Amino acid sequence: MIEQNENTQFELTDELVALVEQLIASQSDTELHTLLNEFHHADIAEILDEVGLEDATYVIKLLDSETTSEILMELNEDNREKILKTLSAKEIAEEVEELDTDDAADIISELPESRQLEVISNIENAAHKAEIKELLAYDQDTAGGLMGKELVKVYENWTVAGCLRRIRGQAKDVKRVHSIYVVDRQNKLIGRLSLKDLIVAKSDQKIADIYIKSVDYVNVEEGAEEVAKIMQKYDLEAIPVVNDNQTLLGRITIDDIVDVIREEADRDYQMAAGISQGVEADDSIWKLTKARLPWLLIGVFGGLGAASIIEYFNEAMGSFIVLLSFVPLIQATAGNVGVQSSAIVVQGLANDSVDSNIVKRLLKEFFLAIVNGFAIATVALFITHFVFGTPYIVSITIGIALISVIIMAALIGTFIPFFLDKRGIDPAVATGPFITTSNDVFGILTYFLIAKLILGF
Amino acid sequence: MIEQNENTQFELTDELVALVEQLIASQSDTELHTLLNEFHHADIAEILDEVGLEDATYVIKLLDSETTSEILMELNEDNREKILKTLSAKEIAEEVEELDTDDAADIISELPESRQLEVISNIENAAHKAEIKELLAYDQDTAGGLMGKELVKVYENWTVAGCLRRIRGQAKDVKRVHSIYVVDRQNKLIGRLSLKDLIVAKSDQKIADIYIKSVDYVNVEEGAEEVAKIMQKYDLEAIPVVNDNQTLLGRITIDDIVDVIREEADRDYQMAAGISQGVEADDSIWKLTKARLPWLLIGVFGGLGAASIIEYFNEAMGSFIVLLSFVPLIQATAGNVGVQSSAIVVQGLANDSVDSNIVKRLLKEFFLAIVNGFAIATVALFITHFVFGTPYIVSITIGIALISVIIMAALIGTFIPFFLDKRGIDPAVATGPFITTSNDVFGILTYFLIAKLILGF
């Protein structure tokens, strides 16, 4: 902000948080006002995420609802939930009144169902209320759940001058005019126009003569991730949403899509790391345990499965007991290869860059596994034989086992995400401990079976 | 596109690719024109990514440069490089002439250095040429590398009517008017204005009276990821770029930032999976091997390290040889915990949601590890004793070892990304095979040391 400081970005310092806490403690409302008014609402949200619940609620009740409604939107979800609990339905309705319809619907949908109705009935602006109610009916992960009702639309038979006049009216409710949507008399979307086109045009021209007939749009029931893909692919900053009859219902803006992309990436990343439920670093230990323990248990059961395989072969192994020392080598390699192969497929499926032909993909991974397998087997063979002094036949066994295990892990790692995707399950789940564990177990089994075959115990 | 089809999105089918290939083979230029004109340039790029290099080059030479320049931007990077090789410097200059300055600079920067100069010297529009040269001087991963020169700016002493008149001139070169930037006589950024504000204002008002003084901006040397964070946090669709003197140099638009976010997320995901260099599913086996083999070798050396630990304890172990069976259990658990802990920190560092206080974070992971450790140790103790029939003292050893290993893995997993981040290394590298491998080795060592202590072999 230029006004605040010539050259630096907002920075959340311990001193600033302490100052705010102190001003709250001493109820210095005027100073608080003066201090916080300098900051963007997203910055105030960062400060409130750091102070305690009571302090945050104090600030929310202190500032005017135009600012606090935006602050609420930017707060950490857990903190928002706690603060909303301390507000009355009427107070929440006042906040919601200030928000765009999509944000308003998001806030309300986070409330318990009984409170939702109470808050809605307290919204005074009837049009705003009706629009929010409409939005609440859509599934959150669809275009309908993402869209807002704030848009500027014009009829094709209007003139440029008439348009500009009426847009002045509509635009008051719309923070940013992305596109002007052109509709026919039945409110069907037939094209678009930019504000720039309108300014550049002569004032007596008809909209019908200047509007752009080619317009991207999405159906209200389209999935959120699909909408994100379309907006990215076509570099759109806003996209209109229509129903099956092509009736214009709303618009989705890129800032909401950025959130969808970010959340999707975070979720995939966490799943690959064996963490579920989209937790954050500052969540409670209990929430973090719920998100992490189940995945660890999968690994534990895999480890116990591996133990029974080893026990089974152990007795027959006799003098080849040295094979047991290389179990971690086999396990680590199988796990790493499996994760690599599945990550490539998961990412490819997410951005449509992978050929949907499974056979082609499996063949490619097969060749890749042979290349990597021979390289790794050679390294392992030399080191085990010349450094560890393992008998030649055992080193060869380890080498052959490594190649086989790498091929197997690559194929399993490739197949599982495809399989999950076809079944409608998020394939990202496959990259986590799930794939590592199954590859651990199959890898160790393969290792001993090959050893048995070669060494004949 | 409404024109093309009432209700469906573009879909890349094998039939469509075959049809395009056939039209190219028969040199049916008119039909090709008619067919491809229906599609968005991003869709044509998808088709050209599927056909061979010669066919793609044929289409690029066939269509007019206004379309093909946009197609080039959307092509897979490898394919673009190949096609550009087949074009003359003059032909590339013609494509570049059609592009916005930021896209033009991106394309040129991908060329070998000697060709860059040749292409630049072939650009006819002198202003465009100078702007592109300016942009090429900035580091690609900074605000300067992301920004374009296309923007609409007004002086504070202009009137609204004068502004609209001059904007009509400037706006011809600007595809989308995001914001109008207000500058003083020295071209210093002093505020902003939306097109909407201008339309709503009275035509004889002065800009100085209506412009918004609070404007977000970034310094031209700011890092790309930092710019992405700022634009996300403040929900911006464009941000002006200034130098140290506050002089307005250019603007960055959200579509470029969406690409930065996506690439960053992809890179982190791949690193966590042990894949380097940002490969894609359809890259060559050689490129994929280069990206994957080094990480696998880290795992191999870890496995061999584990083997020497096992061999060392093996001889002394005597009747407690059963301990070897549970090495995979220890290894899997250590690896999984380490990845979970590091992923949380890496993600927290990436979106600033993690407290930068290492001690606090380590303490939290420590308590979390104790909770998870006791749960897992209990499960393992019961199953090994009652299902596997392991002697009680061995089961207890395994349980205690698991708790210790989980704590150790959690602390290492938390510490390493913090450490890398402080040293200026991308902490995401820590979540991959790197952390799994070190935890494998330390985990197995801890396991045997604890066993030696309890069982006294």
Side-chain angles (χ1 to χ4, degrees):
Chain A
M1 305 276 154
I2 288 179
E3 287 184 313
Q4 173 202 335
N5 190 313
E6 267 290 324
N7 223 339
T8 52
Q9 213 61 44
F10 170 80
E11 208 182 328
L12 185 67
T13 60
D14 289 346
E15 292 74 39
L16 178 60
V17 173
L19 175 62
V20 171
E21 283 174 334
Q22 186 208 313
L23 291 176
I24 295 170
S26 62
Q27 307 205 336
S28 317
D29 293 356
T30 324
E31 285 91 335
L32 263 178
H33 258 298
T34 319
L35 176 70
L36 295 178
N37 268 340
E38 282 187 29
F39 300 123
H40 188 278
H41 53 77
D43 297 326
I44 304 179
E46 278 191 3
I47 299 173
L48 297 192
D49 274 334
E50 292 300 311
V51 305
L53 170 63
E54 268 183 49
D55 286 358
T57 313
Y58 184 88
V59 173
I60 293 289
K61 294 200 175 184
L62 176 72
L63 302 179
D64 63 284
S65 57
E66 201 176 324
T67 315
T68 55
S69 58
E70 298 290 349
I71 295 174
L72 279 175
M73 285 309 297
E74 300 290 336
L75 281 179
N76 173 317
E77 209 177 309
D78 290 348
N79 291 337
R80 177 165 61 235
E81 194 188 319
K82 284 181 201 151
I83 290 178
L84 288 179
K85 268 193 192 148
T86 71
L87 300 183
S88 70
K90 198 170 156 41
E91 283 170 321
I92 299 177
E94 278 165 21
E95 303 286 354
V96 157
E97 204 99 42
E98 299 290 341
L99 290 170
D100 276 357
T101 48
D102 49 346
D103 290 340
D106 286 346
I107 288 246
I108 293 177
S109 68
E110 284 175 16
L111 299 171
E113 249 178 79
S114 57
R115 282 207 98 189
Q116 291 190 5
L117 295 175
E118 220 185 322
V119 169
I120 294 171
S121 69
N122 271 293
I123 299 174
E124 284 177 11
N125 182 325
H128 201 54
K129 186 196 281 194
E131 286 177 342
I132 293 171
K133 272 168 97 169
E134 180 198 332
L135 292 182
L136 282 169
Y138 297 111
D139 183 348
Q140 290 230 23
D141 292 327
T142 63
L146 286 171
M147 75 180 184
K149 302 293 289 178
E150 290 79 7
L151 53 79
V152 176
K153 68 175 179 191
V154 297
Y155 291 88
E156 56 173 335
N157 56 337
W158 287 1
T159 62
V160 168
C163 248
L164 279 172
R165 213 166 38 238
R166 300 196 203 204
I167 282 175
R168 286 193 186 104
Q170 290 185 42
K172 274 183 197 130
D173 297 329
V174 183
K175 280 182 201 142
R176 297 173 196 156
V177 178
H178 295 89
S179 255
I180 298 158
Y181 300 118
V182 182
V183 292
D184 66 12
R185 280 163 198 280
Q186 282 77 45
N187 202 24
K188 282 190 187 177
L189 177 70
I190 57 170
R192 69 183 161 87
L193 204 60
S194 73
L195 211 41
K196 190 196 95 183
D197 298 328
L198 213 52
I199 293 178
V200 175
K202 293 202 183 71
S203 60
D204 57 350
Q205 277 187 294
K206 280 254 183 176
I207 295 300
D209 299 328
I210 61 164
Y211 81 89
I212 302 153
K213 287 182 189 67
S214 130
V215 54
D216 292 292
Y217 60 88
V218 287
N219 188 285
V220 67
E221 284 171 15
E222 189 71 84
E225 296 190 1
E226 191 57 34
V227 177
K229 270 188 207 165
I230 293 169
M231 291 188 72
Q232 273 181 88
K233 181 174 166 187
Y234 300 117
D235 284 345
L236 305 175
E237 278 157 16
I239 195 165
V241 181
V242 300
N243 65 11
D244 291 340
N245 297 325
Q246 199 72 20
T247 310
L248 181 61
L249 297 179
R251 59 93 191 96
I252 297 173
T253 52
I254 188 74
D255 54 323
D256 294 323
I257 290 302
V258 168
D259 295 340
V260 170
I261 294 170
R262 172 65 81 192
E263 279 164 24
E264 195 190 333
D266 281 359
R267 208 169 47 239
D268 285 0
Y269 185 78
Q270 293 200 338
M271 270 205 239
I275 304 171
S276 51
Q277 303 182 329
V279 292
E280 278 176 45
D282 54 0
D283 281 337
S284 70
I285 290 196
W286 170 236
K287 197 169 171 192
L288 285 168
T289 300
K290 272 201 301 180
R292 289 164 62 164
L293 190 55
W295 296 100
L296 294 181
L297 284 173
I298 292 179
V300 168
F301 288 112
L304 292 170
S308 32
I309 295 172
I310 295 175
E311 296 227 323
Y312 174 80
F313 286 98
N314 200 357
E315 289 164 27
M317 230 181 285
S319 63
F320 295 118
I321 196 86
V322 61
L323 287 171
L324 288 184
S325 305
F326 298 101
V327 165
L329 171 65
I330 300 290
Q331 186 180 348
T333 309
N336 286 341
V337 170
V339 168
Q340 285 183 340
S341 305
S342 63
I344 286 267
V345 176
V346 168
Q347 211 163 54
L349 287 171
N351 60 26
D352 285 337
S353 77
V354 75
D355 202 311
S356 58
N357 187 331
I358 302 190
V359 181
K360 243 166 101 181
R361 185 77 220 151
L362 285 173
L363 263 178
K364 185 160 193 179
E365 280 291 329
F366 178 74
F367 286 118
L368 197 61
I370 288 179
V371 174
N372 283 335
F374 268 93
I376 282 171
T378 311
V379 171
L381 195 146
F382 272 84
I383 295 184
T384 54
H385 185 63
F386 293 109
V387 180
F388 286 69
T390 320
Y392 217 52
I393 186 79
V394 174
S395 290
I396 289 180
T397 304
I398 293 170
I400 294 178
L402 274 172
I403 297 176
S404 321
V405 164
I406 289 173
I407 293 174
M408 182 216 63
L411 297 183
I412 294 183
T414 307
F415 180 75
I416 291 184
F418 269 117
F419 176 78
L420 293 178
D421 191 52
K422 291 254 162 188
R423 299 237 142 190
I425 302 168
D426 184 350
V429 78
T431 331
F434 185 61
I435 209 112
T436 329
T437 304
S438 50
N439 277 325
D440 281 3
V441 176
F442 280 113
I444 290 169
L445 185 63
T446 310
Y447 173 49
F448 285 114
L449 285 175
I450 285 173
K452 196 176 156 86
L453 214 71
I454 297 179
L455 303 174
F457 53 78
Chain B
M1 304 281 153
I2 287 178
E3 287 183 311
Q4 173 202 335
N5 191 314
E6 267 289 324
N7 223 338
T8 52
Q9 214 61 45
F10 171 80
E11 207 181 331
L12 185 67
T13 60
D14 289 346
E15 292 73 39
L16 178 60
V17 174
L19 174 62
V20 171
E21 283 175 335
Q22 186 207 313
L23 291 175
I24 296 169
S26 62
Q27 308 204 337
S28 316
D29 293 355
T30 325
E31 285 89 335
L32 263 178
H33 258 299
T34 319
L35 177 69
L36 295 179
N37 269 339
E38 281 186 30
F39 300 123
H40 188 278
H41 52 78
D43 298 327
I44 303 179
E46 277 191 4
I47 299 172
L48 296 192
D49 274 334
E50 292 300 311
V51 306
L53 170 64
E54 270 182 48
D55 286 358
T57 313
Y58 184 89
V59 173
I60 293 289
K61 295 201 174 184
L62 176 72
L63 301 179
D64 63 283
S65 57
E66 201 178 325
T67 315
T68 55
S69 58
E70 298 289 349
I71 296 174
L72 279 174
M73 285 308 299
E74 300 290 335
L75 281 179
N76 173 317
E77 207 177 310
D78 291 348
N79 292 337
R80 177 166 60 234
E81 193 189 319
K82 284 181 201 151
I83 290 178
L84 288 179
K85 268 192 190 147
T86 70
L87 300 182
S88 71
K90 198 169 155 44
E91 282 170 322
I92 298 177
E94 279 166 21
E95 302 285 355
V96 159
E97 205 98 43
E98 299 289 342
L99 290 171
D100 276 358
T101 48
D102 50 344
D103 290 340
D106 285 347
I107 288 245
I108 292 178
S109 68
E110 284 175 17
L111 298 171
E113 249 179 78
S114 58
R115 283 206 98 192
Q116 291 190 7
L117 295 175
E118 219 184 322
V119 170
I120 293 170
S121 69
N122 272 292
I123 299 174
E124 284 176 10
N125 182 326
H128 201 54
K129 187 197 280 194
E131 287 177 341
I132 292 170
K133 272 167 95 169
E134 180 198 333
L135 291 183
L136 281 170
Y138 299 110
D139 182 348
Q140 290 229 23
D141 291 326
T142 63
L146 285 172
M147 74 180 184
K149 302 293 290 178
E150 290 79 7
L151 53 79
V152 176
K153 66 175 180 191
V154 297
Y155 292 88
E156 54 173 336
N157 56 338
W158 287 1
T159 61
V160 167
C163 248
L164 280 171
R165 213 166 39 237
R166 300 198 204 202
I167 283 174
R168 286 195 186 103
Q170 290 184 43
K172 272 181 197 131
D173 296 329
V174 183
K175 280 181 200 142
R176 295 173 197 157
V177 179
H178 295 89
S179 256
I180 298 159
Y181 300 118
V182 183
V183 293
D184 65 14
R185 279 163 199 281
Q186 283 77 44
N187 202 23
K188 280 190 189 178
L189 177 70
I190 56 169
R192 71 184 158 86
L193 204 59
S194 74
L195 211 42
K196 190 195 95 183
D197 298 328
L198 213 52
I199 292 177
V200 174
K202 291 200 184 76
S203 59
D204 56 352
Q205 278 188 291
K206 279 254 185 181
I207 295 300
D209 299 328
I210 61 165
Y211 82 88
I212 302 153
K213 287 180 189 69
S214 130
V215 54
D216 292 292
Y217 59 89
V218 287
N219 188 286
V220 68
E221 285 171 16
E222 187 72 85
E225 296 190 2
E226 191 56 35
V227 178
K229 268 187 209 166
I230 293 169
M231 292 188 70
Q232 273 180 86
K233 180 174 166 186
Y234 299 117
D235 284 345
L236 306 174
E237 278 157 17
I239 194 164
V241 181
V242 299
N243 64 11
D244 290 341
N245 298 324
Q246 199 73 19
T247 311
L248 180 62
L249 297 179
R251 59 93 191 96
I252 298 172
T253 52
I254 188 74
D255 54 323
D256 294 322
I257 290 302
V258 167
D259 294 341
V260 170
I261 294 170
R262 171 64 82 193
E263 279 163 25
E264 194 192 334
D266 281 358
R267 209 168 47 239
D268 285 358
Y269 185 78
Q270 292 199 339
M271 271 204 238
I275 305 171
S276 51
Q277 305 180 329
V279 293
E280 278 177 46
D282 54 1
D283 281 336
S284 71
I285 288 195
W286 170 235
K287 196 169 173 194
L288 285 169
T289 299
K290 271 201 301 181
R292 288 164 61 165
L293 190 55
W295 295 102
L296 294 180
L297 284 174
I298 292 179
V300 168
F301 287 112
L304 290 171
S308 31
I309 295 172
I310 294 174
E311 296 226 326
Y312 174 78
F313 286 97
N314 200 356
E315 288 163 29
M317 229 181 286
S319 65
F320 294 116
I321 197 87
V322 60
L323 287 170
L324 288 184
S325 305
F326 297 101
V327 165
L329 170 66
I330 300 292
Q331 185 179 349
T333 308
N336 286 341
V337 170
V339 168
Q340 286 183 338
S341 304
S342 62
I344 285 268
V345 176
V346 168
Q347 212 164 54
L349 287 171
N351 60 26
D352 284 338
S353 77
V354 75
D355 202 311
S356 57
N357 187 330
I358 302 191
V359 180
K360 242 165 102 182
R361 185 77 219 151
L362 284 174
L363 263 178
K364 185 160 191 178
E365 279 293 329
F366 178 74
F367 285 118
L368 197 61
I370 288 179
V371 174
N372 283 336
F374 268 94
I376 283 170
T378 311
V379 171
L381 195 147
F382 272 84
I383 295 184
T384 53
H385 185 63
F386 293 108
V387 181
F388 285 70
T390 320
Y392 217 52
I393 186 78
V394 174
S395 289
I396 289 179
T397 303
I398 294 170
I400 294 177
L402 274 172
I403 296 177
S404 321
V405 164
I406 289 173
I407 293 175
M408 184 216 62
L411 297 184
I412 293 182
T414 306
F415 180 75
I416 291 184
F418 269 118
F419 175 78
L420 293 178
D421 190 51
K422 291 254 165 199
R423 298 237 139 190
I425 302 168
D426 184 349
V429 77
T431 332
F434 185 61
I435 208 112
T436 328
T437 304
S438 50
N439 277 324
D440 281 3
V441 176
F442 280 113
I444 290 169
L445 185 63
T446 310
Y447 173 50
F448 285 114
L449 285 176
I450 285 172
K452 197 177 155 87
L453 213 71
I454 296 179
L455 304 174
F457 52 77

